[in-house]
Amino acid sequence: MDKFDVTVIGSGPGGYVAAIRCAQLGMKTAIIERYNTLGGTCLNVGCIPSKALLDSSEHFHNAQSKFKEHGINIKDLKVDLKQMIKRKNEVVEQTSGGIGFLMKKNKIEVIQGHATFKDKNTIEVQPDKGKKITVVTAKTIIATGSKPMSLPGIEIDKKRIISSTEALNLKTIPKSLILIGGGVIGLELGSVFGRMGTKVTVLEYMDSIIPTMDKALGKELAKSLKPLGFEILVNHKVTGASVKGNVVTVAAEDKNGKKVSVKGDYCLMAVGRKPYTDNLGLENAGVKLDPQGRIEVNDHLATSTEGIYAIGDVIKGAMLAHKAEEEGVLVAEQMAGQKPHINYRLIPGVVYTWPEVASVGYTEAELKADGRNFRSGSFPFKASGRARASMDLEGFVKVHVDAETDEILGVHMIGPRAADMIAEAVVAMEYRASAEDIARMSHAHPTFTEAMKEACLDATGKRALHI
Ligand code: FAD
Ligand code: NAD
């Protein structure tokens, strides 16, 4: 029987970061992970493998569609999917192995097995092999993450109706792929295959793809995805899916009730994820769920049971790795008597399509709904020298600012390296910068970041210099 100050359940970005911070702050820490690899969804079947395939497929796509114009001719260009998947798996193994190293370095005890609460201070762990282990702990951080969601009446059979996990390991490039849901997972993984020649059909319930982001972004992204062969059907609610042999048929209806049926090799279910608390024994520890099945937490991420906290995908809020990480740090520092704070409004959202999409702060629709008096400025990448040099002319940066104070309230961008560029907006907004502040700062030339400066110039008195 082992005794710990803190035990973390789940080794995803929430859990492993929480464990490291607890150990840094002097707590005797254990982490329990039911799989044999550390890193959770993000490292094993999420962020990292999807980005590895996005990078590989982007290289192929560029070689096919852009190299000639750059003066580079390649004969017999083709995809070796087996090698692409092998490289992806190596990236995952190395990254997950790195977490093992960090656990050792910080003297965190790693326990393999499925954790179940027996009471609020006792956790029973069933390893893959061997007998159950009992862990006694003063405090616990639950970071058990999420799993793919499906629609009523549609079973993810993992063969033809697949989730992101299976899509990351397909053996052949599908001729056709149907995406149920035009959100982040669908569009990222759809891009991977679309770039390699798959005909992708998107069925999205809302009136635009990536509907929770600023409307202008979804519109622009749809334009960029069409040349990849994407057929995008918005305002289409999927109602069923069936498999016959190697063909999957997805049924949907538009907002007027008109029925459509789409056939494909595979259908990727990408309608969101749900919190994972199976066989966690929450009832034995008195930990309550909210009506959406998430672990209920207060502003300090404390659950209904004293000494038990929850973070990441298993609680409310955006299901993002960096959100889970911030929460892991917050809980650890609170336990050590510190007073950390997370500004949830400033957690950026990124979609790793090409062009990339990135966003932080209020959207135009939110500002309008709040009755805020705001101004907007924007700058298109087609007017950027750097973007012209790299042939990445699609997209723009859009900035919303308070009409009276000029404080930046939201930044929404679609374009080359937007995923990295959004960091400037986060820093600016954390320091409550005005558009004038950014407009007066030197941005290296030629860089994509100049588009941010120009959008701020546009927002403060329409004085963009290069348009
Ligand atoms: P998870 O990463 O889900 O980890 C939870 C861990 O807990 C798992 O390892 C699980 O095995 C373990 N566990 C569960 N129950 C138990 C138990 N009872 N006992 C022991 N162990 C248990 N987010 C981004 O920010 N950027 C991206 O680019 C991005 N890309 C993504 C791509 C895909 C395809 C997917 C599916 C997700 C992506 N996400 C991305 C979301 C991101 O993966 C999650 O938000 C993040 O992993 C949540 O971290 P977490 O620590 O809360 O949970
Ligand atoms: P999502 O919420 O991004 O998108 C789901 C989409 O499905 C929505 O647009 C929704 O309107 C649509 N939908 C729901 N029901 C439908 C129906 N019956 N018919 C048609 N469309 C329907 O969810 P996701 O793409 O599955 O991703 C899950 C989570 O993983 C997200 O919370 C996301 O934050 C996270 N993730 C993040 C990244 C990233 O940060 N780059 C990448 C992948 C996943």
Side-chain angles (χ1 to χ4, degrees):
M1 194 177 296
D2 287 314
K3 243 180 157 175
F4 295 95
D5 297 329
V6 185
T7 300
V8 180
I9 307 178
S11 72
Y16 84 74
V17 166
I20 292 174
R21 193 69 189 116
C22 285
Q24 283 176 343
L25 291 164
M27 294 171 234
K28 187 178 178 210
T29 308
I31 190 162
I32 308 172
E33 170 54 55
R34 67 194 190 109
Y35 289 122
N36 280 308
T37 57
L38 300 173
T41 304
C42 175
L43 267 63
N44 293 286
V45 291
C47 326
I48 300 299
S50 60
K51 265 79 258 178
L53 291 184
L54 277 158
D55 281 335
S56 297
S57 59
E58 180 66 13
H59 285 313
F60 173 72
H61 178 66
N62 283 340
Q64 197 176 49
S65 62
K66 291 189 177 170
F67 276 19
K68 202 167 171 206
E69 206 168 331
H70 279 283
I72 305 165
N73 291 310
I74 301 182
K75 270 196 191 142
D76 300 331
L77 185 71
K78 57 175 189 268
V79 173
D80 177 350
L81 187 65
K82 207 171 155 198
Q83 167 58 23
M84 204 181 267
I85 300 281
K86 183 172 166 257
R87 188 196 80 94
K88 180 265 297 178
N89 290 342
E90 284 164 5
V91 171
V92 168
E93 265 168 44
Q94 285 157 8
T95 316
S96 169
I99 306 301
F101 164 79
L102 291 174
M103 296 299 104
K104 258 195 207 127
K105 183 186 156 200
N106 287 284
K107 302 190 173 48
I108 296 161
E109 174 114 1
V110 176
I111 303 168
Q112 192 278 319
H114 188 104
T116 307
F117 281 102
K118 285 293 139 195
D119 61 48
K120 90 187 210 19
N121 299 106
T122 317
I123 301 165
E124 210 166 68
V125 184
Q126 176 61 66
D128 282 354
K129 289 182 199 140
K131 282 197 287 196
K132 279 184 182 160
I133 301 160
T134 302
V135 173
V136 176
T137 185
K139 290 178 178 163
T140 303
I141 302 173
I142 304 171
T144 50
S146 61
K147 64 177 180 188
M149 214 157 70
S150 189
L151 291 171
I154 306 181
E155 190 206 340
I156 300 176
D157 67 9
K158 301 189 181 182
K159 292 188 184 96
R160 292 285 150 185
I161 303 177
I162 58 176
S163 74
S164 50
T165 305
E166 294 76 48
L168 290 166
N169 283 306
L170 287 182
K171 300 264 182 299
T172 53
I173 301 168
K175 283 202 176 62
S176 53
L177 173 67
I178 305 161
L179 306 180
I180 305 186
V184 204
I185 290 186
L187 298 178
E188 288 188 357
L189 293 176
S191 292
V192 166
F193 293 103
R195 290 164 185 172
M196 300 193 289
T198 302
K199 158 99 180 83
V200 179
T201 306
V202 185
L203 292 164
E204 167 54 50
Y205 175 67
M206 302 294 281
D207 62 358
S208 93
I209 54 171
I210 45 167
T212 52
M213 296 180 104
D214 204 275
K215 283 276 177 273
L217 299 176
K219 222 169 131 191
E220 185 75 8
L221 182 59
K223 271 200 273 169
S224 299
L225 292 175
K226 279 185 186 150
L228 286 182
F230 271 60
E231 186 180 356
I232 298 175
L233 302 174
V234 294
N235 289 315
H236 276 72
K237 180 181 174 184
V238 169
T239 51
S242 58
V243 181
K244 213 171 183 187
N246 292 340
V247 180
V248 52
T249 307
V250 178
E253 54 186 50
D254 73 7
K255 60 179 178 185
N256 302 316
K258 191 178 155 220
K259 293 188 177 7
V260 296
S261 151
V262 186
K263 288 192 190 315
D265 291 350
Y266 293 93
C267 130
L268 170 60
M269 184 63 75
V271 294
R273 294 175 60 85
K274 58 181 176 194
Y276 182 76
T277 55
D278 291 6
N279 193 21
L280 190 53
L282 290 178
E283 59 292 350
N284 302 332
V287 175
K288 285 191 193 139
L289 297 180
D290 70 13
Q292 284 88 35
R294 305 170 296 196
I295 294 181
E296 196 175 87
V297 289
N298 66 14
D299 289 348
H300 301 284
L301 308 184
T303 68
S304 47
T305 300
E306 207 196 327
I308 303 183
Y309 298 79
I311 59 172
D313 280 13
V314 79
I315 64 165
K316 65 188 173 183
M319 287 187 170
L320 294 173
H322 44 288
K323 178 252 189 194
E325 290 185 31
E326 293 306 327
E327 291 180 335
V329 170
L330 180 130
V331 167
E333 292 182 350
Q334 270 181 177
M335 284 177 179
Q338 299 180 9
K339 293 198 165 34
H341 172 73
I342 298 173
N343 186 350
Y344 282 96
R345 180 56 73 181
L346 296 189
I347 290 182
V350 173
V351 190
Y352 294 81
T353 44
W354 196 268
E356 291 177 337
V357 185
S359 192
V360 64
Y362 291 93
T363 63
E364 189 167 333
E366 285 169 335
L367 290 171
K368 280 184 180 156
D370 284 359
R372 291 286 288 262
N373 189 7
F374 69 101
R375 281 181 275 114
S376 303
S378 64
F379 188 78
F381 280 102
K382 65 172 183 274
S384 147
R386 185 70 191 87
R388 187 156 297 283
S390 69
M391 282 173 66
D392 290 307
L393 297 172
E394 294 156 295
F396 54 81
V397 175
K398 190 164 131 188
V399 178
H400 303 307
V401 302
D402 187 283
E404 275 147 45
T405 65
D406 196 39
E407 179 178 349
I408 301 173
L409 302 174
V411 178
H412 309 280
M413 48 177 82
I414 172 165
R417 301 280 163 236
D420 297 295
M421 279 175 54
I422 200 70
E424 178 182 9
V426 176
V427 173
M429 290 170 74
E430 280 285 5
Y431 284 94
R432 302 196 61 180
S434 63
E436 184 73 30
D437 289 327
I438 299 294
R440 291 206 172 269
M441 286 176 195
S442 174
H443 287 63
H445 175 75
T447 59
F448 299 124
T449 66
E450 288 168 293
M452 173 75 182
K453 177 184 167 105
E454 291 274 1
C456 287
L457 280 165
D458 190 44
T460 62
K462 300 290 157 202
R463 38 196 252 265
L465 296 164
H466 291 87
I467 191 126

